Amino acid sequence: MTGFDPGDLLAVAREEALIGKAEGGIPIGAALFTIDGELLGRGRNRRVQDGDPSMHAETAAFRDAGRRRHYRDTVMVTTLSPCWYCSGLVRQFAIPHVVIGEARTFSGGHDWLAGHGTRITILDDPACVEAMTEFIAERPDLWFEDIGQ
Amino acid sequence: MTGFDPGDLLAVAREEALIGKAEGGIPIGAALFTIDGELLGRGRNRRVQDGDPSMHAETAAFRDAGRRRHYRDTVMVTTLSPCWYCSGLVRQFAIPHVVIGEARTFSGGHDWLAGHGTRITILDDPACVEAMTEFIAERPDLWFEDIGQ
């Protein structure tokens, strides 16, 4: 048993995504929690805000959590299926569980992670789908830049 | 034909690694070039210096290069085989060529990248092997923290 509700975790990631949207950025948010529900770090995509292409939401949350000896008691939550870059982060640092808002508008490496033993929970959250659908329609240039396509 | 010598590119990554070592950091360096040999960004692992676990050498070089619309004319050089995190970066942004100083002391995702069409050049550079061998022997705690093991 773990001490969190996936929807509560997603609420924090969605809040980050909304802040990012208000800043004119890419509306993807993430957070890192312990499996007991303690918040370790949170963040949002910072490509626009910092001119930094290396800060996807997941890497921003990971950075915000600071240095840790291991991640075996953590869960990453993100509003969108993690791209290969962020999936690589999860695999390298052996984050055991990823909670995903939605994987309809973009599907990254979550199946690959599942195949390597990561627990994947996809919530298929309508608000997450709507936010990304709207963003991709409004700013396709920015979206495709962010995923290198 | 491309306009660079892999050894010249590695010299820049090695210089970054040496600066990192002098700073008390993890001695891994990387740089992003165009295939014509123009330097776009360079960096080194910044876990110790910035307390930032998200800044591996490759992600630091990628960040230093700033925002780009695509990476199809670039080559990443790194002193050490890229971990899964950095391999994911290369795959997501479709960096077509990775030049690696050595893959003896650590082997990350370079075979996976090769299987997905990335050109991989391993130089098996004795100075890179020696620097990492020495670092891992001196600071195993820091090394295993950096790769999440």
Side-chain angles (χ1 to χ4, degrees), chain A residues 52-55 63 67 69 83-85 88 91-93 145-147 149, chain B residues 52 54-55 63 66-67 69 83-85 88 92-93 145-147 149:
Chain A
D52 185 351
S54 77
M55 279 298 115
R63 177 175 67 175
R67 287 174 59 176
R69 188 59 193 84
C83 78
W84 286 114
Y85 174 42
R91 180 166 175 190
Q92 185 62 47
F93 293 96
E145 177 190 321
D146 197 55
I147 53 172
Q149 285 177 8
Chain B
D52 184 352
S54 77
M55 281 296 116
R63 176 175 68 174
R67 286 175 59 177
R69 188 60 195 81
C83 77
W84 287 113
Y85 175 41
Q92 185 62 44
F93 292 96
E145 178 188 320
D146 196 57
I147 53 173
Q149 284 177 9

PDB file of all heavy atoms in Angstrom, chain A residues 52-55 63 67 69 83-85 88 91-93 145-147 149, chain B residues 52 54-55 63 66-67 69 83-85 88 92-93 145-147 149:
ATOM      1  N   ASP A  52      15.417  27.753 -21.983  1.00  0.00           N
ATOM      2  CA  ASP A  52      16.162  26.545 -21.631  1.00  0.00           C
ATOM      3  C   ASP A  52      15.465  25.290 -22.166  1.00  0.00           C
ATOM      4  O   ASP A  52      14.472  24.837 -21.595  1.00  0.00           O
ATOM      5  CB  ASP A  52      16.287  26.462 -20.110  1.00  0.00           C
ATOM      6  CG  ASP A  52      17.151  25.300 -19.659  1.00  0.00           C
ATOM      7  OD1 ASP A  52      17.525  24.458 -20.497  1.00  0.00           O
ATOM      8  OD2 ASP A  52      17.458  25.229 -18.456  1.00  0.00           O
ATOM      9  N   PRO A  53      16.004  24.717 -23.233  1.00  0.00           N
ATOM     10  CA  PRO A  53      15.371  23.533 -23.817  1.00  0.00           C
ATOM     11  C   PRO A  53      15.562  22.257 -22.994  1.00  0.00           C
ATOM     12  O   PRO A  53      14.904  21.258 -23.258  1.00  0.00           O
ATOM     13  CB  PRO A  53      16.074  23.396 -25.180  1.00  0.00           C
ATOM     14  CG  PRO A  53      17.437  23.956 -24.944  1.00  0.00           C
ATOM     15  CD  PRO A  53      17.225  25.109 -23.973  1.00  0.00           C
ATOM     16  N   SER A  54      16.453  22.321 -22.002  1.00  0.00           N
ATOM     17  CA  SER A  54      16.696  21.113 -21.194  1.00  0.00           C
ATOM     18  C   SER A  54      15.703  20.983 -20.044  1.00  0.00           C
ATOM     19  O   SER A  54      15.679  19.951 -19.377  1.00  0.00           O
ATOM     20  CB  SER A  54      18.127  21.126 -20.643  1.00  0.00           C
ATOM     21  OG  SER A  54      18.256  22.010 -19.541  1.00  0.00           O
ATOM     22  N   MET A  55      14.902  22.004 -19.815  1.00  0.00           N
ATOM     23  CA  MET A  55      13.974  21.935 -18.694  1.00  0.00           C
ATOM     24  C   MET A  55      12.560  21.584 -19.145  1.00  0.00           C
ATOM     25  O   MET A  55      11.711  22.463 -19.350  1.00  0.00           O
ATOM     26  CB  MET A  55      13.980  23.241 -17.890  1.00  0.00           C
ATOM     27  CG  MET A  55      15.145  23.332 -16.914  1.00  0.00           C
ATOM     28  SD  MET A  55      15.133  22.034 -15.620  1.00  0.00           S
ATOM     29  CE  MET A  55      16.629  21.113 -16.046  1.00  0.00           C
ATOM     30  N   ARG A  63      15.005  18.409 -10.759  1.00  0.00           N
ATOM     31  CA  ARG A  63      15.988  19.392 -10.302  1.00  0.00           C
ATOM     32  C   ARG A  63      15.543  20.032  -8.991  1.00  0.00           C
ATOM     33  O   ARG A  63      16.333  20.200  -8.061  1.00  0.00           O
ATOM     34  CB  ARG A  63      16.169  20.474 -11.372  1.00  0.00           C
ATOM     35  CG  ARG A  63      17.136  21.577 -10.951  1.00  0.00           C
ATOM     36  CD  ARG A  63      17.409  22.577 -12.065  1.00  0.00           C
ATOM     37  NE  ARG A  63      16.245  23.375 -12.409  1.00  0.00           N
ATOM     38  CZ  ARG A  63      16.276  24.378 -13.284  1.00  0.00           C
ATOM     39  NH1 ARG A  63      17.395  24.685 -13.911  1.00  0.00           N
ATOM     40  NH2 ARG A  63      15.182  25.041 -13.558  1.00  0.00           N
ATOM     41  N   ARG A  67      19.586  17.087  -4.709  1.00  0.00           N
ATOM     42  CA  ARG A  67      20.361  15.841  -4.742  1.00  0.00           C
ATOM     43  C   ARG A  67      19.761  14.813  -3.797  1.00  0.00           C
ATOM     44  O   ARG A  67      19.411  15.119  -2.659  1.00  0.00           O
ATOM     45  CB  ARG A  67      21.808  16.125  -4.336  1.00  0.00           C
ATOM     46  CG  ARG A  67      22.594  16.854  -5.386  1.00  0.00           C
ATOM     47  CD  ARG A  67      23.973  17.236  -4.898  1.00  0.00           C
ATOM     48  NE  ARG A  67      24.765  16.070  -4.499  1.00  0.00           N
ATOM     49  CZ  ARG A  67      26.035  16.146  -4.104  1.00  0.00           C
ATOM     50  NH1 ARG A  67      26.644  17.316  -4.047  1.00  0.00           N
ATOM     51  NH2 ARG A  67      26.686  15.058  -3.757  1.00  0.00           N
ATOM     52  N   ARG A  69      20.235  10.457  -2.723  1.00  0.00           N
ATOM     53  CA  ARG A  69      21.072   9.279  -2.873  1.00  0.00           C
ATOM     54  C   ARG A  69      20.402   8.213  -3.752  1.00  0.00           C
ATOM     55  O   ARG A  69      21.049   7.447  -4.432  1.00  0.00           O
ATOM     56  CB  ARG A  69      21.402   8.707  -1.482  1.00  0.00           C
ATOM     57  CG  ARG A  69      22.406   7.592  -1.486  1.00  0.00           C
ATOM     58  CD  ARG A  69      23.733   8.038  -2.091  1.00  0.00           C
ATOM     59  NE  ARG A  69      24.603   6.898  -2.388  1.00  0.00           N
ATOM     60  CZ  ARG A  69      24.510   6.191  -3.501  1.00  0.00           C
ATOM     61  NH1 ARG A  69      23.604   6.439  -4.417  1.00  0.00           N
ATOM     62  NH2 ARG A  69      25.350   5.196  -3.714  1.00  0.00           N
ATOM     63  N   CYS A  83       8.343  12.246 -22.626  1.00  0.00           N
ATOM     64  CA  CYS A  83       9.093  12.042 -23.878  1.00  0.00           C
ATOM     65  C   CYS A  83      10.282  11.114 -23.608  1.00  0.00           C
ATOM     66  O   CYS A  83      10.518  10.701 -22.475  1.00  0.00           O
ATOM     67  CB  CYS A  83       9.546  13.394 -24.438  1.00  0.00           C
ATOM     68  SG  CYS A  83      10.988  14.086 -23.599  1.00  0.00           S
ATOM     69  N   TRP A  84      11.067  10.809 -24.649  1.00  0.00           N
ATOM     70  CA  TRP A  84      12.209   9.900 -24.458  1.00  0.00           C
ATOM     71  C   TRP A  84      13.215  10.477 -23.466  1.00  0.00           C
ATOM     72  O   TRP A  84      13.837   9.741 -22.683  1.00  0.00           O
ATOM     73  CB  TRP A  84      12.893   9.597 -25.791  1.00  0.00           C
ATOM     74  CG  TRP A  84      12.085   8.659 -26.619  1.00  0.00           C
ATOM     75  CD1 TRP A  84      11.470   8.932 -27.816  1.00  0.00           C
ATOM     76  CD2 TRP A  84      11.766   7.295 -26.313  1.00  0.00           C
ATOM     77  NE1 TRP A  84      10.786   7.822 -28.258  1.00  0.00           N
ATOM     78  CE2 TRP A  84      10.959   6.818 -27.358  1.00  0.00           C
ATOM     79  CE3 TRP A  84      12.080   6.444 -25.262  1.00  0.00           C
ATOM     80  CZ2 TRP A  84      10.459   5.505 -27.385  1.00  0.00           C
ATOM     81  CZ3 TRP A  84      11.592   5.139 -25.279  1.00  0.00           C
ATOM     82  CH2 TRP A  84      10.792   4.683 -26.327  1.00  0.00           C
ATOM     83  N   TYR A  85      13.400  11.775 -23.526  1.00  0.00           N
ATOM     84  CA  TYR A  85      14.349  12.439 -22.614  1.00  0.00           C
ATOM     85  C   TYR A  85      13.913  12.199 -21.167  1.00  0.00           C
ATOM     86  O   TYR A  85      14.707  11.747 -20.320  1.00  0.00           O
ATOM     87  CB  TYR A  85      14.364  13.930 -22.975  1.00  0.00           C
ATOM     88  CG  TYR A  85      15.158  14.860 -22.108  1.00  0.00           C
ATOM     89  CD1 TYR A  85      16.421  14.531 -21.632  1.00  0.00           C
ATOM     90  CD2 TYR A  85      14.653  16.132 -21.802  1.00  0.00           C
ATOM     91  CE1 TYR A  85      17.149  15.431 -20.867  1.00  0.00           C
ATOM     92  CE2 TYR A  85      15.386  17.032 -21.052  1.00  0.00           C
ATOM     93  CZ  TYR A  85      16.624  16.670 -20.573  1.00  0.00           C
ATOM     94  OH  TYR A  85      17.337  17.568 -19.823  1.00  0.00           O
ATOM     95  N   GLY A  88      14.000   8.583 -20.150  1.00  0.00           N
ATOM     96  CA  GLY A  88      15.374   8.199 -19.830  1.00  0.00           C
ATOM     97  C   GLY A  88      15.753   8.601 -18.411  1.00  0.00           C
ATOM     98  O   GLY A  88      16.439   7.848 -17.700  1.00  0.00           O
ATOM     99  N   ARG A  91      14.173   6.068 -16.079  1.00  0.00           N
ATOM    100  CA  ARG A  91      14.868   4.783 -16.088  1.00  0.00           C
ATOM    101  C   ARG A  91      16.229   4.871 -15.395  1.00  0.00           C
ATOM    102  O   ARG A  91      16.582   4.011 -14.585  1.00  0.00           O
ATOM    103  CB  ARG A  91      15.045   4.270 -17.521  1.00  0.00           C
ATOM    104  CG  ARG A  91      15.759   2.935 -17.528  1.00  0.00           C
ATOM    105  CD  ARG A  91      15.685   2.218 -18.838  1.00  0.00           C
ATOM    106  NE  ARG A  91      16.504   1.011 -18.784  1.00  0.00           N
ATOM    107  CZ  ARG A  91      16.805   0.274 -19.819  1.00  0.00           C
ATOM    108  NH1 ARG A  91      16.330   0.580 -21.013  1.00  0.00           N
ATOM    109  NH2 ARG A  91      17.559  -0.798 -19.692  1.00  0.00           N
ATOM    110  N   GLN A  92      17.015   5.917 -15.721  1.00  0.00           N
ATOM    111  CA  GLN A  92      18.361   6.015 -15.150  1.00  0.00           C
ATOM    112  C   GLN A  92      18.315   6.096 -13.633  1.00  0.00           C
ATOM    113  O   GLN A  92      19.115   5.462 -12.947  1.00  0.00           O
ATOM    114  CB  GLN A  92      19.095   7.233 -15.714  1.00  0.00           C
ATOM    115  CG  GLN A  92      20.545   7.322 -15.251  1.00  0.00           C
ATOM    116  CD  GLN A  92      21.365   6.127 -15.721  1.00  0.00           C
ATOM    117  OE1 GLN A  92      21.294   5.746 -16.889  1.00  0.00           O
ATOM    118  NE2 GLN A  92      22.131   5.519 -14.823  1.00  0.00           N
ATOM    119  N   PHE A  93      17.364   6.869 -13.117  1.00  0.00           N
ATOM    120  CA  PHE A  93      17.320   7.068 -11.669  1.00  0.00           C
ATOM    121  C   PHE A  93      16.356   6.108 -10.982  1.00  0.00           C
ATOM    122  O   PHE A  93      16.083   6.233  -9.789  1.00  0.00           O
ATOM    123  CB  PHE A  93      17.041   8.541 -11.353  1.00  0.00           C
ATOM    124  CG  PHE A  93      18.204   9.405 -11.769  1.00  0.00           C
ATOM    125  CD1 PHE A  93      18.210  10.058 -12.988  1.00  0.00           C
ATOM    126  CD2 PHE A  93      19.335   9.474 -10.963  1.00  0.00           C
ATOM    127  CE1 PHE A  93      19.309  10.808 -13.398  1.00  0.00           C
ATOM    128  CE2 PHE A  93      20.441  10.221 -11.366  1.00  0.00           C
ATOM    129  CZ  PHE A  93      20.431  10.890 -12.588  1.00  0.00           C
ATOM    130  N   GLU A 145       8.938  22.297 -31.630  1.00  0.00           N
ATOM    131  CA  GLU A 145      10.298  22.644 -31.186  1.00  0.00           C
ATOM    132  C   GLU A 145      10.621  21.900 -29.892  1.00  0.00           C
ATOM    133  O   GLU A 145      11.717  21.349 -29.730  1.00  0.00           O
ATOM    134  CB  GLU A 145      10.402  24.162 -30.958  1.00  0.00           C
ATOM    135  CG  GLU A 145      11.771  24.598 -30.424  1.00  0.00           C
ATOM    136  CD  GLU A 145      11.796  26.059 -29.977  1.00  0.00           C
ATOM    137  OE1 GLU A 145      11.178  26.909 -30.656  1.00  0.00           O
ATOM    138  OE2 GLU A 145      12.432  26.344 -28.950  1.00  0.00           O
ATOM    139  N   ASP A 146       9.652  21.850 -28.988  1.00  0.00           N
ATOM    140  CA  ASP A 146       9.909  21.271 -27.668  1.00  0.00           C
ATOM    141  C   ASP A 146      10.144  19.765 -27.708  1.00  0.00           C
ATOM    142  O   ASP A 146      10.794  19.206 -26.834  1.00  0.00           O
ATOM    143  CB  ASP A 146       8.750  21.566 -26.712  1.00  0.00           C
ATOM    144  CG  ASP A 146       9.168  21.342 -25.267  1.00  0.00           C
ATOM    145  OD1 ASP A 146      10.167  21.956 -24.850  1.00  0.00           O
ATOM    146  OD2 ASP A 146       8.532  20.542 -24.576  1.00  0.00           O
ATOM    147  N   ILE A 147       9.604  19.111 -28.722  1.00  0.00           N
ATOM    148  CA  ILE A 147       9.824  17.656 -28.821  1.00  0.00           C
ATOM    149  C   ILE A 147      10.756  17.308 -29.986  1.00  0.00           C
ATOM    150  O   ILE A 147      10.903  16.146 -30.357  1.00  0.00           O
ATOM    151  CB  ILE A 147       8.488  16.871 -28.919  1.00  0.00           C
ATOM    152  CG1 ILE A 147       7.600  17.411 -30.058  1.00  0.00           C
ATOM    153  CG2 ILE A 147       7.750  16.900 -27.586  1.00  0.00           C
ATOM    154  CD1 ILE A 147       6.358  16.544 -30.318  1.00  0.00           C
ATOM    155  N   GLN A 149      10.678  17.913 -33.233  1.00  0.00           N
ATOM    156  CA  GLN A 149      10.119  17.353 -34.475  1.00  0.00           C
ATOM    157  C   GLN A 149       9.848  18.463 -35.504  1.00  0.00           C
ATOM    158  O   GLN A 149       9.679  19.605 -35.162  1.00  0.00           O
ATOM    159  CB  GLN A 149       8.817  16.625 -34.181  1.00  0.00           C
ATOM    160  CG  GLN A 149       9.052  15.282 -33.508  1.00  0.00           C
ATOM    161  CD  GLN A 149       7.745  14.566 -33.150  1.00  0.00           C
ATOM    162  OE1 GLN A 149       6.670  15.005 -33.530  1.00  0.00           O
ATOM    163  NE2 GLN A 149       7.877  13.475 -32.416  1.00  0.00           N
TER     164      GLN A 149
ATOM    165  N   ASP B  52      22.757  20.330  -8.546  1.00  0.00           N
ATOM    166  CA  ASP B  52      21.718  20.084  -9.553  1.00  0.00           C
ATOM    167  C   ASP B  52      21.898  18.700 -10.194  1.00  0.00           C
ATOM    168  O   ASP B  52      22.768  18.513 -11.040  1.00  0.00           O
ATOM    169  CB  ASP B  52      21.798  21.172 -10.632  1.00  0.00           C
ATOM    170  CG  ASP B  52      20.694  21.053 -11.661  1.00  0.00           C
ATOM    171  OD1 ASP B  52      19.950  20.043 -11.648  1.00  0.00           O
ATOM    172  OD2 ASP B  52      20.567  21.959 -12.505  1.00  0.00           O
ATOM    173  N   SER B  54      20.066  17.297 -12.291  1.00  0.00           N
ATOM    174  CA  SER B  54      19.559  17.213 -13.676  1.00  0.00           C
ATOM    175  C   SER B  54      20.609  17.639 -14.692  1.00  0.00           C
ATOM    176  O   SER B  54      20.409  17.475 -15.892  1.00  0.00           O
ATOM    177  CB  SER B  54      18.306  18.080 -13.842  1.00  0.00           C
ATOM    178  OG  SER B  54      18.635  19.458 -13.935  1.00  0.00           O
ATOM    179  N   MET B  55      21.715  18.195 -14.225  1.00  0.00           N
ATOM    180  CA  MET B  55      22.729  18.663 -15.166  1.00  0.00           C
ATOM    181  C   MET B  55      23.882  17.679 -15.296  1.00  0.00           C
ATOM    182  O   MET B  55      24.918  17.792 -14.652  1.00  0.00           O
ATOM    183  CB  MET B  55      23.244  20.051 -14.780  1.00  0.00           C
ATOM    184  CG  MET B  55      22.303  21.165 -15.199  1.00  0.00           C
ATOM    185  SD  MET B  55      22.108  21.304 -17.026  1.00  0.00           S
ATOM    186  CE  MET B  55      20.345  20.899 -17.179  1.00  0.00           C
ATOM    187  N   ARG B  63      21.755  22.512 -22.960  1.00  0.00           N
ATOM    188  CA  ARG B  63      21.204  23.750 -22.414  1.00  0.00           C
ATOM    189  C   ARG B  63      22.008  24.949 -22.899  1.00  0.00           C
ATOM    190  O   ARG B  63      21.447  25.984 -23.300  1.00  0.00           O
ATOM    191  CB  ARG B  63      21.216  23.695 -20.881  1.00  0.00           C
ATOM    192  CG  ARG B  63      20.747  24.999 -20.234  1.00  0.00           C
ATOM    193  CD  ARG B  63      20.647  24.899 -18.721  1.00  0.00           C
ATOM    194  NE  ARG B  63      21.948  24.764 -18.085  1.00  0.00           N
ATOM    195  CZ  ARG B  63      22.122  24.767 -16.769  1.00  0.00           C
ATOM    196  NH1 ARG B  63      21.074  24.870 -15.948  1.00  0.00           N
ATOM    197  NH2 ARG B  63      23.321  24.629 -16.263  1.00  0.00           N
ATOM    198  N   GLY B  66      21.243  26.603 -26.144  1.00  0.00           N
ATOM    199  CA  GLY B  66      20.022  27.402 -26.259  1.00  0.00           C
ATOM    200  C   GLY B  66      18.947  26.723 -27.090  1.00  0.00           C
ATOM    201  O   GLY B  66      19.061  25.542 -27.441  1.00  0.00           O
ATOM    202  N   ARG B  67      17.901  27.484 -27.388  1.00  0.00           N
ATOM    203  CA  ARG B  67      16.774  26.940 -28.144  1.00  0.00           C
ATOM    204  C   ARG B  67      17.134  26.793 -29.619  1.00  0.00           C
ATOM    205  O   ARG B  67      17.704  27.687 -30.220  1.00  0.00           O
ATOM    206  CB  ARG B  67      15.560  27.864 -28.009  1.00  0.00           C
ATOM    207  CG  ARG B  67      14.887  27.794 -26.668  1.00  0.00           C
ATOM    208  CD  ARG B  67      13.777  28.815 -26.529  1.00  0.00           C
ATOM    209  NE  ARG B  67      12.732  28.652 -27.531  1.00  0.00           N
ATOM    210  CZ  ARG B  67      11.621  29.389 -27.581  1.00  0.00           C
ATOM    211  NH1 ARG B  67      11.439  30.344 -26.674  1.00  0.00           N
ATOM    212  NH2 ARG B  67      10.726  29.175 -28.503  1.00  0.00           N
ATOM    213  N   ARG B  69      15.481  25.008 -33.399  1.00  0.00           N
ATOM    214  CA  ARG B  69      14.294  24.434 -34.042  1.00  0.00           C
ATOM    215  C   ARG B  69      14.461  22.943 -34.298  1.00  0.00           C
ATOM    216  O   ARG B  69      13.509  22.174 -34.269  1.00  0.00           O
ATOM    217  CB  ARG B  69      13.996  25.190 -35.348  1.00  0.00           C
ATOM    218  CG  ARG B  69      12.691  24.816 -36.018  1.00  0.00           C
ATOM    219  CD  ARG B  69      11.502  25.078 -35.106  1.00  0.00           C
ATOM    220  NE  ARG B  69      10.297  24.410 -35.594  1.00  0.00           N
ATOM    221  CZ  ARG B  69      10.006  23.140 -35.412  1.00  0.00           C
ATOM    222  NH1 ARG B  69      10.828  22.354 -34.727  1.00  0.00           N
ATOM    223  NH2 ARG B  69       8.897  22.634 -35.877  1.00  0.00           N
ATOM    224  N   CYS B  83      24.382   8.047 -20.246  1.00  0.00           N
ATOM    225  CA  CYS B  83      23.448   7.257 -19.433  1.00  0.00           C
ATOM    226  C   CYS B  83      22.075   7.256 -20.114  1.00  0.00           C
ATOM    227  O   CYS B  83      21.869   7.884 -21.151  1.00  0.00           O
ATOM    228  CB  CYS B  83      23.365   7.845 -18.019  1.00  0.00           C
ATOM    229  SG  CYS B  83      22.353   9.344 -17.891  1.00  0.00           S
ATOM    230  N   TRP B  84      21.103   6.576 -19.539  1.00  0.00           N
ATOM    231  CA  TRP B  84      19.766   6.515 -20.146  1.00  0.00           C
ATOM    232  C   TRP B  84      19.122   7.895 -20.254  1.00  0.00           C
ATOM    233  O   TRP B  84      18.411   8.191 -21.225  1.00  0.00           O
ATOM    234  CB  TRP B  84      18.845   5.571 -19.369  1.00  0.00           C
ATOM    235  CG  TRP B  84      19.190   4.147 -19.584  1.00  0.00           C
ATOM    236  CD1 TRP B  84      19.687   3.263 -18.668  1.00  0.00           C
ATOM    237  CD2 TRP B  84      19.095   3.422 -20.821  1.00  0.00           C
ATOM    238  NE1 TRP B  84      19.917   2.052 -19.260  1.00  0.00           N
ATOM    239  CE2 TRP B  84      19.554   2.110 -20.567  1.00  0.00           C
ATOM    240  CE3 TRP B  84      18.677   3.738 -22.110  1.00  0.00           C
ATOM    241  CZ2 TRP B  84      19.605   1.130 -21.572  1.00  0.00           C
ATOM    242  CZ3 TRP B  84      18.730   2.766 -23.102  1.00  0.00           C
ATOM    243  CH2 TRP B  84      19.183   1.491 -22.828  1.00  0.00           C
ATOM    244  N   TYR B  85      19.363   8.711 -19.270  1.00  0.00           N
ATOM    245  CA  TYR B  85      18.816  10.069 -19.284  1.00  0.00           C
ATOM    246  C   TYR B  85      19.346  10.828 -20.503  1.00  0.00           C
ATOM    247  O   TYR B  85      18.568  11.407 -21.287  1.00  0.00           O
ATOM    248  CB  TYR B  85      19.224  10.739 -17.963  1.00  0.00           C
ATOM    249  CG  TYR B  85      18.885  12.195 -17.772  1.00  0.00           C
ATOM    250  CD1 TYR B  85      17.678  12.737 -18.161  1.00  0.00           C
ATOM    251  CD2 TYR B  85      19.804  13.040 -17.131  1.00  0.00           C
ATOM    252  CE1 TYR B  85      17.384  14.082 -17.933  1.00  0.00           C
ATOM    253  CE2 TYR B  85      19.513  14.369 -16.898  1.00  0.00           C
ATOM    254  CZ  TYR B  85      18.306  14.888 -17.305  1.00  0.00           C
ATOM    255  OH  TYR B  85      18.025  16.203 -17.065  1.00  0.00           O
ATOM    256  N   GLY B  88      18.266   9.351 -23.784  1.00  0.00           N
ATOM    257  CA  GLY B  88      16.902   9.779 -24.089  1.00  0.00           C
ATOM    258  C   GLY B  88      16.874  11.163 -24.711  1.00  0.00           C
ATOM    259  O   GLY B  88      16.100  11.431 -25.643  1.00  0.00           O
ATOM    260  N   GLN B  92      15.221  11.851 -28.276  1.00  0.00           N
ATOM    261  CA  GLN B  92      14.071  12.743 -28.407  1.00  0.00           C
ATOM    262  C   GLN B  92      14.355  13.874 -29.391  1.00  0.00           C
ATOM    263  O   GLN B  92      13.499  14.239 -30.198  1.00  0.00           O
ATOM    264  CB  GLN B  92      13.693  13.331 -27.048  1.00  0.00           C
ATOM    265  CG  GLN B  92      12.424  14.166 -27.094  1.00  0.00           C
ATOM    266  CD  GLN B  92      11.212  13.350 -27.501  1.00  0.00           C
ATOM    267  OE1 GLN B  92      11.018  12.233 -27.022  1.00  0.00           O
ATOM    268  NE2 GLN B  92      10.402  13.867 -28.433  1.00  0.00           N
ATOM    269  N   PHE B  93      15.555  14.413 -29.328  1.00  0.00           N
ATOM    270  CA  PHE B  93      15.866  15.568 -30.176  1.00  0.00           C
ATOM    271  C   PHE B  93      16.560  15.167 -31.473  1.00  0.00           C
ATOM    272  O   PHE B  93      17.004  16.021 -32.236  1.00  0.00           O
ATOM    273  CB  PHE B  93      16.636  16.614 -29.370  1.00  0.00           C
ATOM    274  CG  PHE B  93      15.777  17.229 -28.306  1.00  0.00           C
ATOM    275  CD1 PHE B  93      15.812  16.762 -27.002  1.00  0.00           C
ATOM    276  CD2 PHE B  93      14.856  18.218 -28.631  1.00  0.00           C
ATOM    277  CE1 PHE B  93      14.968  17.285 -26.024  1.00  0.00           C
ATOM    278  CE2 PHE B  93      14.006  18.740 -27.667  1.00  0.00           C
ATOM    279  CZ  PHE B  93      14.057  18.279 -26.365  1.00  0.00           C
ATOM    280  N   GLU B 145      25.733   7.974  -6.810  1.00  0.00           N
ATOM    281  CA  GLU B 145      24.638   8.938  -6.676  1.00  0.00           C
ATOM    282  C   GLU B 145      24.276   9.512  -8.052  1.00  0.00           C
ATOM    283  O   GLU B 145      23.104   9.641  -8.408  1.00  0.00           O
ATOM    284  CB  GLU B 145      25.056  10.085  -5.735  1.00  0.00           C
ATOM    285  CG  GLU B 145      23.982  11.170  -5.583  1.00  0.00           C
ATOM    286  CD  GLU B 145      24.480  12.400  -4.810  1.00  0.00           C
ATOM    287  OE1 GLU B 145      25.218  12.246  -3.815  1.00  0.00           O
ATOM    288  OE2 GLU B 145      24.137  13.524  -5.240  1.00  0.00           O
ATOM    289  N   ASP B 146      25.303   9.830  -8.827  1.00  0.00           N
ATOM    290  CA  ASP B 146      25.061  10.505 -10.109  1.00  0.00           C
ATOM    291  C   ASP B 146      24.365   9.618 -11.127  1.00  0.00           C
ATOM    292  O   ASP B 146      23.704  10.110 -12.047  1.00  0.00           O
ATOM    293  CB  ASP B 146      26.373  11.015 -10.689  1.00  0.00           C
ATOM    294  CG  ASP B 146      26.128  12.034 -11.795  1.00  0.00           C
ATOM    295  OD1 ASP B 146      25.450  13.037 -11.510  1.00  0.00           O
ATOM    296  OD2 ASP B 146      26.582  11.835 -12.934  1.00  0.00           O
ATOM    297  N   ILE B 147      24.533   8.306 -10.989  1.00  0.00           N
ATOM    298  CA  ILE B 147      23.859   7.403 -11.928  1.00  0.00           C
ATOM    299  C   ILE B 147      22.710   6.650 -11.265  1.00  0.00           C
ATOM    300  O   ILE B 147      22.147   5.719 -11.841  1.00  0.00           O
ATOM    301  CB  ILE B 147      24.850   6.424 -12.616  1.00  0.00           C
ATOM    302  CG1 ILE B 147      25.685   5.660 -11.589  1.00  0.00           C
ATOM    303  CG2 ILE B 147      25.746   7.193 -13.593  1.00  0.00           C
ATOM    304  CD1 ILE B 147      26.548   4.554 -12.211  1.00  0.00           C
ATOM    305  N   GLN B 149      22.496   4.677  -8.632  1.00  0.00           N
ATOM    306  CA  GLN B 149      22.686   3.265  -8.257  1.00  0.00           C
ATOM    307  C   GLN B 149      23.132   3.132  -6.807  1.00  0.00           C
ATOM    308  O   GLN B 149      23.731   4.024  -6.251  1.00  0.00           O
ATOM    309  CB  GLN B 149      23.728   2.609  -9.170  1.00  0.00           C
ATOM    310  CG  GLN B 149      23.153   2.306 -10.551  1.00  0.00           C
ATOM    311  CD  GLN B 149      24.185   1.713 -11.492  1.00  0.00           C
ATOM    312  OE1 GLN B 149      25.280   1.380 -11.094  1.00  0.00           O
ATOM    313  NE2 GLN B 149      23.830   1.611 -12.764  1.00  0.00           N
TER     314      GLN B 149
END
